[in-house]
Amino acid sequence: MDATRTLHRNRQLLGKLALIAAMMFGFAWAMIPLYRIVCEQTGLNDVVKADALERDDLVAGAATVAMTFDATVQAGLPWQVRPLTTHLKVKPGTFVQVQYQITNASPHAVVGQALPRYLPAEAGAYVKKLECFCFTQQRFAPGQTRTFPVVFVIDRKLPASITSITLAYTIFDVPGQDGRAS
């Protein structure tokens, strides 16, 4: 009788743990689109909606900024990443679109995520991205190549001391999302 009661309690505990794990997975899954919405509404991570830009910010100024586009990959990963445009002269206040090409060079499906960085770092506050593949997990089939647009406007309030900006993406692996056993 005591063994039956213990077995019943263990099953209840396992059921509760499975429910908690499912709820945690569901919460994490729901956070991906919610995070993007929060970023768009608040300007967090430089992702904004076009209608959130001020009208004055969309009038091209006379100055230009030298933009350099780059990408790096976390060591040992199978990604090949390159910007299709590496250098560009940009007038603050104008929409700019560049593209990054990403290839999965492995024989396995992989999932990665891109994080942007700016040089100089303070320039990041003035680059308003309207479309970006950053902060979103991307799934690639073996050997698959995809092209991702990055659409942005440089704020006209950019300090005159910043005459060049580098926008670089670092691609990281998302562990446990590739469908292979760890």
Side-chain angles (χ1 to χ4, degrees):
M1 183 81 164
D2 198 31
T4 306
R5 192 175 300 158
T6 303
L7 182 62
H8 179 70
R9 286 183 186 155
N10 286 344
R11 285 185 181 162
Q12 281 183 328
L13 180 61
L14 283 175
K16 289 177 183 178
L17 289 174
L19 179 62
I20 289 170
M23 289 172 42
M24 289 171 56
F25 176 78
F27 179 75
W29 187 261
M31 285 307 295
I32 293 170
L34 290 176
Y35 179 73
R36 179 127 181 116
I37 291 168
V38 167
C39 288
E40 287 175 348
Q41 294 299 320
T42 64
L44 182 65
N45 297 324
D46 307 319
V47 178
V48 297
K49 286 189 171 190
D51 59 358
L53 294 171
E54 296 177 19
R55 186 173 298 216
D56 291 343
D57 291 336
L58 301 178
V59 176
T64 61
V65 177
M67 292 284 299
T68 302
F69 303 96
D70 197 7
T72 58
V73 176
Q74 184 182 13
L77 294 182
W79 304 100
Q80 295 173 350
V81 184
R82 69 182 185 96
L84 297 182
T85 302
T86 56
H87 295 85
L88 198 60
K89 292 278 188 187
V90 176
K91 286 184 176 269
T94 59
F95 285 97
V96 178
Q97 179 175 334
V98 295
Q99 296 183 333
Y100 278 77
Q101 186 177 66
I102 303 176
T103 300
N104 171 12
S106 83
H108 306 286
V110 292
V111 177
Q113 186 167 331
L115 299 176
R117 69 180 190 283
Y118 301 93
L119 293 172
E122 59 270 14
Y126 300 95
V127 179
K128 306 299 182 188
K129 287 187 286 210
L130 302 158
E131 186 173 346
C132 180
F133 60 96
C134 51
F135 303 106
T136 305
Q137 293 180 6
Q138 305 293 336
R139 181 175 300 278
F140 284 77
Q144 182 181 21
T145 297
R146 290 172 38 204
T147 302
F148 295 94
V150 177
V151 180
F152 65 91
V153 173
I154 296 178
D155 193 327
R156 289 179 10 136
K157 297 177 187 97
L158 179 75
S161 61
I162 300 176
T163 58
S164 66
I165 300 173
T166 298
L167 170 57
Y169 288 94
T170 302
I171 309 299
F172 294 93
D173 188 34
V174 179
Q177 297 294 317
D178 58 6
R180 293 184 291 158
S182 299

